[in-house]
Amino acid sequence: MDTTPQTSFKGPLTRLDPVFQWLFLIALTVAFASVMLFGALPAALLIGPMLAAVATGALGAGIRVPGLGFASAQALVGLLIGGSLEPAIIASFADIWPILLLSVLVTVAASSFLGFLVSRWRILPGTTAVWGSAPGAATAMVLMAGAFGADARLVAFMQYLRVIFVTLAAALIARLWVDTSGVDAPETVWFPPIDLAAFAITLVTALAGGLFGRLVRLPAPFFLGGMLAGALVHLGGGVALELPPWLMGAAYMVVGWTIGLKFDRALLRTAFRALPQVVISILALMAFCGVLAWFLHVEWGIDPLTAYLATSPGGMDSVAIIAAAASQDVNLSFIMAVQMARFLFVLLAGPPISRMVARWAGG
C-alpha cells in the first residue's frame, strides 16, 4: 500500500511563509488542546496537537519538527516511563505471577490475532496492524513501531483511537460501579515549584540515556535509552526524577506534531477507509478483556472492577487516574502491576511478535 507523501498537492497553506505555517499550527493546537482539556479527554496534550498537525499538513503546510526536538521529546517520555517503575510494583510480580502470566499472554495473543486479521484482510499493511493493536502505553508503542518498520502514523491512529475508547469505557464503568460523584479529579499544577538539583539530574539523565541509546544503536534509541536511564536512576539510585507537567506537556506536543505533520491526503483516505474495521477490532479487544476480567473474578475472587481496570487494553495513565478515584473499592497496586507487566512484555516481545504475525498474514 502506497503511503508516500503526495508532494504535488497544493493547499491554502502551501504558499505561506513557514513562519505563518507555524503560527497557524500553534493557534490550531491551542484550540484543539483547550477543547480536549476542558472536556477532560485523555492524552489531550498529545492528541490535540497531533490532530492540529494533521489538519495543518492536509492544508498543504510543509513545515517539520526539527530532529533534535523529536529526539529530546522521546528521551523525556522514556524517562517518565522508566521513573514510574516502582520497587513495590516490581516486587509484587512474584506474588501474583500466575495471574500476570495469564493476563499478559492471553491479552497479547488476542491483540495479535486482531492485528493478524487487520493485516490479512489488507485493511492496514504488515506490522503496522500488529503494532497498532498492541496493548501497551500508546506513545511508547508508536515510537517503537516506527523503529521497527511500521508506519508510525497509522499506528498512532489505531493506538490513540483505542485510548479514547478504553478510557471512556473504563470511566463509565467505574462511575456506574462506584459512586465517584463526590471525588474530584486531581487538578494539574502546570508550574509547580522545582527542585533545581533534581531537575538538573533529570535533564542530565535524559541526555545520557539518549546518547547511550544512540551509541549502542538501540531501536528507538532516544526513547529506550531514556527509559533505561530513568529506571536505573530511580530504582538503582533512589532518585525522584523532576518532570514538571509543563515539560512533559511540551514533549507530548512535539511528539504529536511530528506524527501529525507526516500525514498526507492519501494516508488520511487510508485511515478513514479503515475506520469501521479498526473500531470493530477495538471493541472486540475490549470485550475480550472484559471476559478475561470476569474469569479472574470467578477463578481467583478478584474484585470485578479491579479485574476490569487491570485488564483494560491500553491507556495505562488514564486507567491509573480512574482507579485512584475509586481507590476505596479497588486494588490499585494489582491494577498497576498487571498494566506494567503487560507493557514490559510488549516492549520486549513486540518486535518478534509483529514480524511473525505479519509474516503469517503475508503483510
Side-chain angles (χ1 to χ4, degrees), residues 120-179:
R120 182 73 173 179
W121 294 338
R122 298 295 186 267
I123 299 169
L124 291 174
T127 57
T128 297
V130 185
W131 279 107
S133 301
T139 306
M141 294 303 102
V142 172
L143 297 177
M144 288 289 291
F148 284 96
D151 191 322
R153 301 164 297 181
L154 291 175
V155 172
F157 162 68
M158 294 181 69
Q159 285 283 346
Y160 297 126
L161 186 63
R162 191 178 72 228
V163 165
I164 293 172
F165 272 72
V166 169
T167 302
L168 293 178
L172 177 61
I173 290 174
R175 181 171 292 275
L176 293 175
W177 197 279
V178 180
D179 182 14

Side-chain angles (χ1 to χ4, degrees), residues 79 82-86 195 197-202 205 229-242:
L79 209 62
S84 68
L85 296 174
E86 295 296 337
D195 183 330
F199 189 58
I201 292 173
T202 299
T205 303
L232 179 64
V233 169
H234 182 59
L235 294 177
V239 176
L241 297 173
E242 189 84 15

Side-chain angles (χ1 to χ4, degrees), residues 252-293:
Y252 292 145
M253 181 181 68
V254 169
V255 171
W257 279 354
T258 303
I259 296 168
L261 288 172
K262 292 179 180 178
F263 273 81
D264 54 67
R265 290 199 163 193
L267 192 69
L268 283 173
R269 283 194 294 269
T270 298
F272 282 120
R273 192 162 52 243
L275 182 61
Q277 295 92 331
V278 170
V279 169
I280 290 172
S281 72
I282 290 171
L283 295 177
L285 183 59
M286 291 172 61
F288 182 87
C289 290
V291 172
L292 176 60

Side-chain angles (χ1 to χ4, degrees), residues 5 11 40 46 50 57 59 86 92 135 172-173 179-180 189 198 210 212 219-220 225 260 275 281 315 332 353 356-357:
L46 192 148
M50 185 172 68
L59 291 173
E86 295 296 337
S92 70
L172 177 61
I173 290 174
D179 182 14
T180 59
V189 179
F212 171 79
L275 182 61
S281 72
L332 183 58
I353 289 175
M356 179 180 65
V357 174

